[in-house]
Amino acid sequence: MNNYEEKVYQEMMEWELKILRNKSMVQRLSKKAQNKINSYIPEKAHTVITEAIKHMVKATLVGSDFTTSKKPSSLYSLEEKEKLVEEKITSYRKTAAIEGAGTGAGGILLGLADFPLLLSIKMKLLFELASIYGYDTKNYEERLFLLHIFQLAFANDDRKREVYYFIKHWEEEKEKLVDVDWRVFQQEYRDYIDLVKLFQMIPGIGAVVGAYANYNLVDQLGETAKNCYRLRIFGE
């Protein structure tokens, strides 16, 4: 490995340790509280939300019209690829922040519109990063890999460790993965962002909260994606 590869390999190892470490008491209590709240939501409502998110995500994955710039990525070094990756993450963070500020300033109705808009921004970013790293998102298994990145970024600690295992051993495990557990997918994602999105709907502070939240959510997704692709590259 060259100096850059040694540097990012160490970053990747530190990222792995964060995922694998035991969760704190605060995180355990938080998850317990979220589970309690979810238990009060009628099963019919859970089903409706699950189906809505499932169709929303599948629309971007299975029938996606997302286009990504075609670059001869095999000619780029890892360092050159990751310069492009950082540029994309920076661009999408700004886009998400502007979108969050706009919908946050509009109160409850526009705040609700933020959910599908932000989801679309996140998915588009994942497609772009996959292309830069040299993976063809026309293949369904690569789109399934994107969903696992998404879950890893926004799941609770227990789920993170489970998803991390599949990502780390992707070549061996991908054949076993037919589809995603959409109920778990939507619940984990909602648990992660519900509180901050609630504050985004409050008049007066919604715009600031929306911009800050969206910026950081996209940043977290970008960092997760970057390290997931590093895992695959170093594994190969």
Side-chain angles (χ1 to χ4, degrees):
M1 290 190 287
N2 59 35
N3 289 338
Y4 182 79
E5 290 171 343
E6 289 178 356
K7 170 179 171 290
V8 298
Y9 185 82
Q10 183 60 39
E11 289 178 4
M12 184 190 74
M13 295 300 292
E14 292 172 358
W15 170 78
E16 283 187 281
L17 287 174
K18 289 180 182 178
I19 292 174
L20 297 174
R21 70 187 177 189
N22 292 328
K23 58 185 175 182
S24 68
M25 178 63 74
V26 172
Q27 289 172 317
R28 288 196 292 270
L29 291 174
S30 175
K31 181 59 180 175
K32 186 176 180 180
Q34 287 169 337
N35 289 339
K36 189 69 174 177
I37 292 171
N38 289 330
S39 70
Y40 293 128
I41 299 175
E43 182 60 30
K44 187 175 181 179
H46 278 300
T47 302
V48 170
I49 295 169
T50 297
E51 286 301 307
I53 294 178
K54 175 181 176 179
H55 291 303
M56 200 184 304
V57 175
K58 276 197 168 184
T60 66
L61 289 175
V62 181
S64 177
D65 292 326
F66 286 161
T67 56
T68 53
S69 52
K70 302 299 180 184
K71 298 180 176 67
S73 60
S74 60
L75 302 180
Y76 285 90
S77 68
L78 179 60
E79 183 173 6
E80 289 169 327
K81 288 178 184 179
E82 294 208 330
K83 284 181 181 178
L84 296 174
V85 164
E86 289 299 333
E87 290 173 6
K88 287 294 181 184
I89 294 174
T90 298
S91 174
Y92 277 84
R93 280 195 310 239
K94 292 177 181 177
T95 299
I98 292 170
E99 184 273 319
T103 53
I108 294 176
L109 292 180
L110 280 181
L112 293 173
D114 173 71
F115 189 89
L117 291 173
L118 180 59
L119 185 60
S120 179
I121 290 170
K122 290 172 179 174
M123 290 298 175
K124 174 64 172 170
L125 171 62
L126 289 178
F127 272 74
E128 292 278 9
L129 299 190
S131 177
I132 292 172
Y133 279 112
Y135 294 93
D136 188 357
T137 53
K138 290 181 181 178
N139 297 330
Y140 179 72
E141 66 181 41
E142 290 302 332
R143 297 183 180 211
L144 202 55
F145 187 75
L146 297 185
L147 272 185
H148 279 74
I149 293 174
F150 192 95
Q151 289 184 88
L152 187 61
F154 303 117
N156 68 60
D157 285 353
D158 290 335
R159 180 64 178 161
K160 276 184 189 293
R161 286 189 281 272
E162 183 180 338
V163 176
Y164 161 80
Y165 174 83
F166 283 106
I167 287 176
K168 187 175 179 66
H169 303 93
W170 184 252
E171 293 304 316
E172 297 88 356
E173 298 294 332
K174 65 183 179 183
E175 301 300 330
K176 304 175 186 177
L177 299 170
V178 178
D179 205 347
V180 173
D181 185 331
W182 293 102
R183 174 66 174 265
V184 174
F185 181 96
Q186 65 87 11
Q187 194 62 67
E188 292 290 337
Y189 185 49
R190 284 174 51 217
D191 285 350
Y192 195 93
I193 70 171
D194 270 355
L195 185 59
V196 69
K197 289 304 174 187
L198 183 64
F199 282 111
Q200 186 176 333
M201 296 180 191
I202 300 176
I205 67 169
V208 175
V209 172
Y212 180 80
N214 284 11
Y215 181 96
N216 283 284
L217 288 169
V218 169
D219 183 66
Q220 180 165 336
L221 181 62
E223 283 299 306
T224 302
K226 188 166 62 176
N227 282 294
C228 286
Y229 281 115
R230 286 171 176 174
L231 267 179
R232 288 184 73 177
I233 290 169
F234 286 122
E236 294 164 0

